[in-house]
């Protein structure tokens, strides 16, 4: 797509949690660098947090991103339990649930953009799928769920939640239950039925690392053969910072994210797909 051709616009809907905010902000910058307009949605507090705490972005990378400050929903603030086995911050799930109340302002914004653009592409953190469930009714909108976890992790969550619809071979069959590691609250969001209408999945990984599980994610039993994209906005070529035991892998990762590498080709393929 040529610079300045704004027939397609991308709307980002992140989860209000720093590590999630940053991943979609970096993906926003990558997409914007290809000449597509990007709109980043969140409360004023979380948008400011994302910009101030951004990691790995070049100066002025967010200049081409349009931030929209949505109304801040009331969020419960339960007292933390220091003795709890679950160490996930207790405010995260109330915040996620509160963001479900932003369905209407998100829909209104996308609806307005849809009247001005040929296609609207919504990329949302799969944990906030409830917030974007109405936009699938807009004729020229298509949505993609962004996976901040590894493809390995997400595949096993879905495979187990679906009753293990096919047999795994080798070492994979001995993986312990995901319920031993992930609380019930986040599991409900990860496997939400609201995800059925998406056009595909985007994983924050590379095929070099997660190829087996990206391929498994594309199976009919798991996603209905929806498109799977490995686009990692947070794996930058800094091999000298990786521990010595991972030098060989870091070299391969560096090659994949540099110009002409596998990551660049996948990113270019995704941009061409949504700009079609």
């Amino acid at each position: 797509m040529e610079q300045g051709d704004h027939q397609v616009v991308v709307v980002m809907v992140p989860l209000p949690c720093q590590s999630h905010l940053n991943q979609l902000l970096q993906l926003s910058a990558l997409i914007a660098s290809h000449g597509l307009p990007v709109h980043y949605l969140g409360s004023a507090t979380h948008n400011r947090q994302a910009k101030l705490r951004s990691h790995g972005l070049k100066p002025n990378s967010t200049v081409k991103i349009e931030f929209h400050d949505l109304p801040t929903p009331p969020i419960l603030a339960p007292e933390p339990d220091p003795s709890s086995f679950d160490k996930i911050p207790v405010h995260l799930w109330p915040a996620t649930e509160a963001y479900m109340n932003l369905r209407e302002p998100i829909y209104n914004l996308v609806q307005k953009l849809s009247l001005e653009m040929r296609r609207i592409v919504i990329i949302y953190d799969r944990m906030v799928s409830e917030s974007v469930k109405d936009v699938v009714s807009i004729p020229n909108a298509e949505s993609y769920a962004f996976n901040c976890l590894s493809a390995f992790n997400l595949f096993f969550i879905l495979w187990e939640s679906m009753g293990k619809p096919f047999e795994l071979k080798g070492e994979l069959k001995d993986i312990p239950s995901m319920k031993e590691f992930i609380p019930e609250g986040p599991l409900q969001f990860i496997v939400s039925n609201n995800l059925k209408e998406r056009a595909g999945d985007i994983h924050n990984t590379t095929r070099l690392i997660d190829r087996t599980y990206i391929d498994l994610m594309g199976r009919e039993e798991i996603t209905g053969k929806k498109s799977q994209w490995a686009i990692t906005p947070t794996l930058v070529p800094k091999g000298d910072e990786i521990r010595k035991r991972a030098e060989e892998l870091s070299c391969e990762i560096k090659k994949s994210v540099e110009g002409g590498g596998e990551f660049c080709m996948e990113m270019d393929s995704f941009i061409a797909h949504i700009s079609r």
Side-chain angles (χ1 to χ4, degrees):
M1 183 173 183
E2 296 182 357
Q3 299 286 331
D5 182 4
H6 294 171
Q7 296 182 23
V8 178
V9 65
V10 179
V11 177
M12 294 286 184
V13 186
L15 176 74
C17 176
Q18 172 55 26
S19 59
H20 294 247
L21 293 169
N22 184 56
Q23 289 187 46
L24 276 183
L25 181 61
Q26 294 206 36
L27 181 58
S28 297
L30 272 175
I31 292 174
S33 71
H34 284 73
L36 289 173
V38 178
H39 297 255
Y40 189 96
L41 279 54
S43 70
T45 298
H46 289 111
N47 283 346
R48 182 169 63 251
Q49 176 181 320
K51 288 183 280 187
L52 292 176
R53 299 182 186 178
S54 62
H55 304 294
L57 289 178
K58 296 179 181 179
N60 300 322
S61 293
T62 61
V63 171
K64 296 180 180 180
I65 302 171
E66 185 170 347
F67 291 85
H68 296 264
D69 295 341
L70 301 177
T72 303
I75 300 174
L76 296 176
E79 291 292 328
D81 179 4
S83 63
S84 173
F85 174 77
D86 177 10
K87 300 304 180 184
I88 296 178
V90 294
H91 72 280
L92 181 56
W93 309 126
T96 303
E97 291 175 342
Y99 261 56
M100 304 305 102
N101 296 321
L102 296 179
R103 282 171 55 183
E104 183 176 354
I106 291 174
Y107 173 82
N108 290 339
L109 174 62
V110 175
Q111 172 67 20
K112 180 180 178 181
L113 290 171
S114 73
L115 300 177
E116 304 167 357
M117 303 291 175
R118 177 171 56 84
R119 177 177 293 112
I120 311 296
V121 176
I122 302 97
I123 300 176
Y124 60 92
D125 191 302
R126 65 181 296 122
M127 300 289 286
V128 296
S129 60
E130 176 78 16
S131 300
V132 299
K133 64 183 298 183
D134 296 330
V135 301
V136 298
S137 65
I138 299 175
N140 59 335
E142 62 184 30
S143 64
Y144 297 84
F146 183 77
N147 171 32
C148 292
L149 307 173
S150 67
F152 169 88
N153 187 294
L154 180 58
F155 165 72
F156 276 102
I157 291 174
L158 297 179
W159 179 73
E160 184 175 304
S161 71
M162 294 173 178
K164 302 180 180 179
F166 52 85
E167 184 178 353
L168 299 176
K169 299 179 180 179
E171 297 178 356
L172 297 180
K173 64 181 181 181
D174 298 322
I175 297 294
S177 172
M178 287 294 159
K179 293 182 179 179
E180 295 183 24
F181 309 100
I182 303 177
E184 185 65 27
L187 279 176
Q188 292 178 357
F189 289 111
I190 293 171
V191 301
S192 171
N193 285 331
N194 296 323
L195 292 152
K196 290 182 177 179
E197 302 299 328
R198 71 196 187 283
D201 297 304
I202 302 171
H203 304 275
N204 182 23
T205 188
T206 69
R207 293 184 184 272
L208 175 66
I209 296 173
D210 262 340
R211 186 182 307 276
T212 296
Y213 309 105
I214 293 172
D215 291 344
L216 287 171
M217 282 289 298
R219 287 189 54 154
E220 176 72 35
E221 302 95 324
I222 302 298
T223 62
K225 293 187 176 180
K226 286 183 169 56
S227 298
Q228 304 295 310
W229 305 90
I231 300 175
T232 172
T234 54
L235 279 179
V236 292
K238 295 183 179 179
D240 57 332
E241 297 177 3
I242 301 176
R243 294 180 181 180
K244 193 170 184 178
R245 68 175 184 271
E247 284 183 354
E248 182 176 346
L249 179 60
S250 78
C251 182
E252 294 301 315
I253 292 174
K254 183 175 181 179
K255 290 178 181 177
S256 75
V257 299
E258 287 179 338
E262 184 178 45
F263 162 73
C264 294
M265 290 189 289
E266 183 121 12
M267 184 67 194
D268 290 343
S269 176
F270 178 72
I271 294 295
H273 174 74
I274 63 176
S275 302
R276 64 192 187 283

